[in-house]
Amino acid sequence: MCGIVGYIGKKEKKEILLDGLQDLEYRGYDSAGIAVVEGKSLQNFKAVGKLTNLREKTRNYHSEGFGAAIGHTRWATHGKPTELNAHPHMGQYSYVVHNGIIENYQALKKELAAEGVTFLSQTDTETIVHLFEQYHQASNDPFGAFEQTVKRLEGAYAILLVSEADPDAIFFAKNGSPMLIGFDGEEIYFASSDTPIIGKAKEVYYLEDGDYGYVKEGKVHLFNQSGAKSYSTQPLPTDKALAQKDGYRFFMEKEIYEQSRVMGETMMGRVLEDGIRFEELNDHLFEGINAIKICACGTSYHSALASSYLFERIAKIRCDVEIASEFRHKEPLLTNDTLFITISQSGETADTLEALKMAKRAGLRSLSICNVDNSSIVRESDATLLTRAGIEKGVASTKAFATQTMVLWMLSLWIAQQRNTIETDRLREELDAMLHTPKALIVTDALHDRIHRLSKRYLHGHGFFFIGRDLFFPLALEGALKLKEISYLHAEGYPAGEMKHGPIALADSELFTIALMPASLLYDKVKSNVEELSARDATILAISPRPFDLADDFIQTQYDSHPMLEFFEMMVVTQLLALEISIRLGNDVDMPRNLAKSVTVE
Ligand code: AGP
C-alpha cells in the first residue's frame, strides 16, 4: 500500500518524482523517499511523514542531465514509519522501491544474514536489494541478477530498482500490485497509477502480473515466465485537472459537492425512458444465474449491503454480501449459478481482488463495480460497470460510495428487467426517482451552514450511534465509518431495531444518536426505536423530513416519497457532519491518521 514513481531520461528528475509522489500520497504517507543515479553518482533522500518533509529536505538538490530515478511514498506494513524503514532501500550500490508484501522475506533474510549481509531496516523490501547484489556479485550480470531475484520472491510486489552496476537502466517487476510504464518518446516513466504521469507521458502500458524487465536507452525490455514479451501501449487519459481542489478546503469537501454532478455521469446513457441499458453487459452474463454474491471492503461493503435490499426487493434474486477479508478464508461454498460481484473504488484492494480470484477459480462469472478503469480488479473481471465518479482523492470515500450505490440500484433494475420481476409502473417510478437523484445530492448553503453550526455540540461524549433500518442500516454503518475515519471519535452503525437488544445499556446524555428516520420506509418503527433511546436520555440528532419533537437537534430533509432519494439526501448530511466535526477538531480531513486510500495488502 504505497505509491511508486520512476523516471529515466534527461529532464530534471527530482521535480518529476516529487510531483508524482504528491499525486500518489493518498496511497500512503508515513514516509517518502527518492533515489537518483547519474553515472557513478547515487543520491538518496528520505523523510518521515508527509511529502512536504521530503520537499524541504531536497530543496537544494537538483538533478539535470541523463539519469534514472525512483521514488516512493509509504504506508507501513513491516516496520514502523521511520526513516530507516522508508524506501528506497539501499544495498552497497543499488536502491529499490517496492509496493506490496514479500511473503517469504523472513526466509530470504535468514539466508542473506547467514552470508554476512547486514540489514538496516525492519522491512520485507530490503531483502530485494541485497538479494540482487548477491546475485550480481556472483554473475556480474545486472539483469540476470534482477531476474534471479524476482524468481525468488513470493507475494505481491511492484518493484523498481536502480544500481551503479548499470546506471543507465531501471529494473522493474510486477506481481499483484499495480504498476504502469508511461512513454513520451525516449522519456520513460513508471507509476502506481495514471495520475502522476498525466501531462508528462503520452502513451501507457499497464504491466501485467508476472511482467518484469528493464528500461535502457529509451527502450523497454519486457519478459514474463515464458521469456521475452511484446506489448502495446494505449493513449493516456488526460483529465488530471479534475483532481484539483477547486477552492474547497479539502478534497473530501469538494467530492461531497461533486456528487450531484457526477451522478449525472454515472447515469448517462444507462437510465433511459423505459428502462436501464448497460452497453457493458451482455445477456449471457446473467444466463442461468439464480443468486448474487457480493464481496467488498469498507465503504464499498456498505454500498454492497444497501444493494442487497434492492436485489432481493426489486430483482427478486437472492443476494449475499460478504466482507472480502472474511470471505477469503472461510472456505465458502460456491456454485456457478451465482454471479460474483466485487465492488471497489480503487480496483486495487487486495482482499477484494483475492476474493475475486477465488470465485473465478471456482468457475463463477464475475462482475466488478469499480471507479478505476484498467485497475487490477477490472482486468480480472468478466465484466465491469464503471462508476464514473472521477478521481477520488479524499481517503474517506464519498462520491465513490454514492456512485457505487447508484450503479447497484441501476443493476437491480436491469436484472429485474431480465427476469421480468418488475411491473411497468414500478419501473417508471424507479427511473423517475433516479433522475431526481442529482437534485437530492445538492449541498445548499443553508444545509452546510446548519451542519457547521450544530457540529460544535458533537465534539466530545463517549460515542456515537448511527441508527437506521432496512436500507438505512448500511447508510448508518457508512455514516459511522465516515465519522470515525476523520474525527477519530468512536462511532457505530447499528440497526435501529437492535438497540434494545444490548447497546441501549450505553444510553445517557453523553451518547450521541444520529437517527436516520426516512418518511418512506419504516418511519413508525424507527420512531419507536428512537423514542426508546430518548426515554433513556440519549442525545438525539434526528435526520428526517418529518419534524420529531423528541430530537435534541434536527435536520429536516426535503424528500419523503422514495427511499433511495431519502437515502442519498441523508447520506450527504452524514458526510457533511463528519467533515465539519473533523475540521473543528483540527484533523487532516483528506489524510486521516493510519489510513491510506488504496489498501493493496492483505
Ligand atoms: C472509505 O472511506 C475507506 N477509506 C475504506 O473503507 C475503503 O472503502 C476500503 O478500503 C475499500 O476500498 P476500495 O473501494 O478501493 O476497494
Side-chain angles (χ1 to χ4, degrees), residues 19-38:
D19 289 352
L21 292 177
Q22 190 84 59
D23 284 324
L24 291 178
E25 218 181 0
Y26 67 91
R27 296 178 65 90
Y29 37 82
D30 286 335
S31 60
I34 60 170
V36 179
V37 53
E38 289 163 301

Side-chain angles (χ1 to χ4, degrees), residues 296-301 343-349 352 377 395-398 404 478 481-482 485 595-599:
C297 302
T299 287
S300 297
Y301 166 76
I343 307 175
S344 175
Q345 186 284 131
S346 61
E348 302 295 349
T349 301
T352 311
I377 287 176
V395 166
S397 190
T398 51
Q404 286 166 348
E478 176 57 10
L481 179 66
K482 281 300 78 89
E485 277 187 295
L595 297 179
K597 183 68 184 162
S598 176
V599 186

Side-chain angles (χ1 to χ4, degrees), residues 207-500:
L207 287 160
E208 291 174 357
D209 284 346
D211 282 356
Y212 65 92
Y214 63 101
V215 174
K216 197 166 175 171
E217 290 159 359
K219 284 203 181 63
V220 175
H221 303 263
L222 185 65
F223 300 82
N224 63 14
Q225 59 171 8
S226 318
K229 182 182 165 184
S230 57
Y231 63 92
S232 46
T233 60
Q234 50 184 285
L236 187 67
T238 52
D239 67 351
K240 193 166 177 169
L242 287 180
Q244 305 304 322
K245 259 190 231 165
D246 283 352
Y248 291 99
R249 294 167 291 177
F250 295 98
F251 280 112
M252 181 188 176
E253 183 176 36
K254 172 178 172 265
E255 286 156 6
I256 293 171
Y257 275 76
E258 266 174 7
Q259 294 178 114
S260 170
R261 177 181 62 76
V262 296
M263 203 56 106
E265 292 181 23
T266 305
M267 290 190 286
M268 199 180 292
R270 292 166 162 176
V271 181
L272 310 180
E273 221 172 280
D274 56 352
I276 298 292
R277 183 182 63 189
F278 284 123
E279 276 178 358
E280 306 89 325
L281 303 187
N282 63 43
D283 301 344
H284 301 308
L285 182 75
F286 215 73
E287 258 167 29
I289 293 294
N290 292 313
I292 290 174
K293 185 175 276 297
I294 314 184
C295 264
C297 302
T299 287
S300 297
Y301 166 76
H302 298 153
S303 179
L305 216 50
S307 75
S308 67
Y309 291 84
L310 302 174
F311 284 125
E312 299 211 342
R313 191 166 286 151
I314 300 176
K316 309 285 180 220
I317 187 164
R318 203 183 78 223
C319 179
D320 303 317
V321 181
E322 302 211 32
I323 291 175
S325 55
E326 286 298 308
F327 172 80
R328 285 177 64 184
H329 303 288
K330 71 182 279 202
E331 299 179 22
L333 295 178
L334 299 171
T335 52
N336 54 13
D337 64 345
T338 302
L339 178 67
F340 192 80
I341 301 183
T342 50
I343 307 175
S344 175
Q345 186 284 131
S346 61
E348 302 295 349
T349 301
D351 287 320
T352 311
L353 180 59
E354 287 308 316
L356 169 59
K357 287 180 183 168
M358 263 176 70
K360 282 185 74 181
R361 281 198 294 273
L364 271 63
R365 266 166 279 168
S366 58
L367 169 68
S368 59
I369 314 291
C370 192
N371 193 31
V372 181
D373 202 1
N374 291 312
S375 59
S376 304
I377 287 176
V378 167
R379 279 180 277 134
E380 196 68 34
S381 304
D382 294 327
T384 296
L385 294 172
L386 290 174
T387 49
R388 305 178 182 166
I391 295 171
E392 186 181 66
K393 285 215 164 188
V395 166
S397 190
T398 51
K399 61 177 180 170
F401 175 73
T403 53
Q404 286 166 348
T405 308
M406 174 54 94
V407 168
L408 288 158
W409 181 16
M410 291 192 282
L411 185 64
S412 70
L413 288 186
W414 186 84
I415 296 175
Q417 290 166 193
Q418 309 278 313
R419 292 166 62 88
N420 275 323
T421 56
I422 190 162
E423 303 283 331
T424 314
D425 287 351
R426 173 80 194 275
L427 179 63
R428 289 242 159 80
E429 267 170 38
E430 296 295 314
L431 296 172
D432 188 52
M434 274 178 184
L435 294 171
H436 276 86
T437 307
K439 257 182 133 180
L441 291 167
I442 290 172
V443 182
T444 61
D445 288 349
L447 175 70
H448 200 156
D449 193 49
R450 167 131 185 77
I451 294 173
H452 167 71
R453 275 184 289 113
L454 64 79
S455 63
K456 63 176 171 288
R457 297 203 279 276
Y458 294 90
L459 308 178
H460 61 290
H462 56 67
F464 287 75
F465 268 88
F466 285 69
I467 60 169
R469 295 183 81 135
D470 202 282
L471 282 167
F472 292 80
F473 162 51
L475 185 58
L477 289 173
E478 176 57 10
L481 179 66
K482 281 300 78 89
L483 184 66
K484 61 188 150 199
E485 277 187 295
I486 60 174
S487 72
Y488 320 141
L489 296 170
H490 180 72
E492 276 189 66
Y494 229 78
E498 188 67 12
M499 290 297 284
K500 58 184 174 294

Side-chain angles (χ1 to χ4, degrees), residues 19 48 96 188 282 396 433 475 522:
D19 289 352
V48 172
V96 71
I188 294 185
N282 63 43
L475 185 58
L522 301 173

Side-chain angles (χ1 to χ4, degrees), residues 507-527:
D508 65 18
S509 59
E510 295 290 286
L511 179 78
F512 299 141
T513 301
I514 315 298
L516 306 177
M517 304 174 71
S520 58
L521 197 62
L522 301 173
Y523 178 81
D524 291 329
K525 301 273 178 216
V526 187
K527 186 167 165 260

Side-chain angles (χ1 to χ4, degrees), residues 46 84-91 94-96 121 123 125-126 129:
K46 297 178 184 195
L84 273 182
N85 286 333
H87 302 216
H89 287 286
M90 176 173 72
S94 319
Y95 281 96
V96 71
S121 75
T123 66
T125 304
E126 197 185 339
V129 70

